[in-house]
Amino acid sequence: MNSALPASQKPFIKALNGEALPRPPVWLMRQAGRYLPEYRATRAQAGSFLDLCYNPDLATEVTLQPIRRFGFDAAILFADILLLPQALGQELRFQEGEGPLLAAIRSEAELGKLRPEAIHARLEPVYEAVARIKAALPAETALIGFAGAPWTVATYMLEGRGGNDQAAAKMWAFGNPAALDRLMALLVDSTVSYLDRQIQAGAEVVQLFDTWAGVLPDEQFQRYCVLPVKMIIQRLRQKYPALPVIAFPRGAGAQYDGFAAATGATALSLDYTVPLAWARDRLWSKHPVQGNLDPRLLVAGGPQMMQAVQRILQHFQGRNHIFNLGHGILPETPPQHVEQLLRLLRGASMAA
Ligand code: 1CP
């Protein structure tokens, strides 16, 4: 057993609470994954990606791998945003080299087949993994639980796969908004319940990934991105008033402004297109921010990467900035570049 610090004394959570720290805490989105040889070995042992997600021992192992290797300030549960639609009864598989494939929902009538009451039976191994990870983490490392935000999860449920224009979900938004509201309400309920169980099992922070927040016009952005995230946070806070929540409305552009106030998110995760000076003046002045190195720069390495890291540090000198990427780490990232990044960050003083 470890002797974990109270959450409020862990550097990552201190930053989320607005405290000044000598250096920015750091973790990387998708920090467990294919760029690590030890991940590839464990995944091969599991058989498939989904077998890995539902095996509490192996999911714990891959969550801990980047912590052992790099000593990040936070671990993120190894799972996927698409486990929830699968637990609701939608067929899901991961095609090698193609990513996720779901049996797309084509009509409002098919929404009736989703079974919110059944999710925990399927997701139990995920909660078991959370408990095991929590017990095994170093004392000062925080544990992040997560879910997809309803809009992003809905884009996969309706399209059946990843893509670039989210056409199916947008056709629902523009053609039958009441039906999409119905799906949103169902996803809000099941996401609250899913995250509640992650928190009960030991997650100290939750992050909501809204990967496709950037594809909607203003009116639909308010209805399908802001409102569902606000409802999830409100309902979780009724039970956990001090719960830190990080929102990642990727690609939201100017919509990042006001997003934390409108949803109640504690902190915003910035994608790599968000301009640093604007983020400092409009966002970070009010809420902690996390981000936002372009993951492709971490692949490139060298002086360009080092300068980009320095620029980020210079903009957020002072307090409550969490260093991260502006999207998930890429499989072709050399692990040595992560080591270089960490040497730079750990040598960095945040004093002005
Ligand atoms: O081993 C493999 O081949 C699978 C690659 C992989 C991994 C490592 C997938 C497939 N998912 C994951 C894990 C994962 N996914 C985590 C775990 C923890 C960590 O960060 O270390 C998290 C938080 C996610 C979240 C996720 N899954 C998102 C949101 C964040 C983002 O990157 O935008 C999305 C959109 C997914 C769907 C998904 N799962 C996997 C893939 C390749 C995709 C993207 C599909 C697409 O749109 O093309």
Side-chain angles (χ1 to χ4, degrees):
M1 285 300 284
N2 67 355
S3 47
L5 290 173
S8 62
Q9 287 175 34
K10 300 183 180 188
F12 176 64
I13 294 175
K14 283 186 175 178
L16 289 171
N17 287 335
E19 285 186 45
L21 293 171
R23 64 167 183 87
V26 53
W27 70 282
L28 304 180
M29 288 192 271
R30 298 270 186 114
Q31 62 194 15
R34 284 170 292 176
Y35 74 111
L36 291 178
E38 58 269 37
Y39 169 85
R40 295 196 295 269
T42 312
R43 190 180 176 295
Q45 191 188 338
S48 73
F49 173 68
L50 284 173
D51 289 334
L52 178 53
C53 291
Y54 291 120
N55 181 321
D57 271 336
L58 298 183
T60 301
E61 168 58 23
V62 292
T63 303
L64 295 174
Q65 285 168 350
I67 306 300
R68 283 190 207 116
R69 196 191 255 259
F70 301 118
F72 291 122
D73 293 283
I76 182 162
L77 162 69
F78 188 84
D80 196 83
I81 65 165
L82 300 176
L83 300 189
L84 185 62
Q86 189 183 35
L88 284 163
Q90 198 173 5
E91 205 182 299
L92 167 71
R93 60 200 170 86
F94 279 83
Q95 193 86 339
E96 211 52 59
E98 264 213 70
L101 292 174
L102 296 117
I105 294 172
R106 300 283 179 213
S107 69
E108 186 175 0
E110 287 180 45
L111 293 180
K113 292 195 218 152
L114 298 171
R115 289 277 161 268
E117 68 285 355
I119 62 171
H120 299 307
R122 181 105 202 201
L123 295 167
E124 205 62 57
V126 175
Y127 313 139
E128 180 60 32
V130 173
R132 292 188 199 187
I133 297 161
K134 185 71 174 294
L137 277 179
E140 68 289 353
T141 312
L143 178 53
I144 305 171
F146 76 92
W151 165 251
T152 286
V153 174
T155 64
Y156 289 94
M157 293 176 81
L158 301 175
E159 190 85 43
R161 59 194 314 141
N164 287 322
D165 61 359
Q166 287 61 52
K170 289 179 76 165
M171 290 308 284
W172 282 58
F174 300 143
N176 192 352
L180 189 54
D181 284 341
R182 215 178 123 198
L183 177 55
M184 289 287 136
L186 186 146
L187 287 173
V188 167
D189 284 348
S190 20
T191 304
V192 168
S193 184
Y194 180 41
L195 290 173
D196 183 11
R197 291 290 301 269
Q198 292 184 30
I199 297 162
Q200 284 178 41
E204 297 163 302
V205 173
V206 300
Q207 176 150 332
L208 289 166
F209 287 89
D210 215 348
T211 302
W212 300 113
V215 302
L216 289 172
D218 188 32
E219 191 188 331
Q220 284 75 20
F221 181 86
Q222 299 301 325
R223 184 163 174 170
Y224 301 117
C225 293
V226 175
L227 197 61
V229 166
K230 174 184 171 171
M231 289 170 72
I232 291 170
I233 296 175
Q234 261 177 0
R235 288 187 32 202
L236 288 172
R237 291 256 174 76
Q238 281 166 10
K239 188 161 173 192
Y240 308 101
L243 178 72
V245 181
I246 303 170
F248 180 37
R250 187 177 77 108
Q255 305 277 19
Y256 263 103
D257 198 1
F259 192 84
T263 57
T266 312
L268 292 175
S269 194
L270 308 180
D271 70 62
Y272 55 81
T273 69
V274 178
L276 291 172
W278 181 84
R280 178 191 58 211
D281 299 341
R282 303 290 311 181
L283 309 175
W284 177 72
S285 53
K286 301 176 208 126
H287 303 275
V289 296
Q290 168 178 287
N292 72 341
L293 187 71
D294 188 327
R296 190 61 67 188
L297 270 165
L298 194 58
V299 177
Q304 297 289 341
M305 173 186 98
M306 299 308 241
Q307 282 160 24
V309 173
Q310 294 288 10
R311 267 194 85 227
I312 294 172
L313 293 176
Q314 279 156 11
H315 277 82
F316 300 116
Q317 268 177 7
R319 65 186 165 86
N320 71 24
H321 168 242
I322 295 154
F323 197 92
N324 206 316
L325 301 176
H327 198 190
I329 194 165
L330 294 161
E332 58 269 40
T333 307
Q336 313 84 276
H337 291 182
V338 178
E339 280 160 26
Q340 283 164 14
L341 166 70
L342 290 171
R343 274 199 297 277
L344 184 61
L345 293 175
R346 288 173 179 158
S349 158
M350 292 192 68

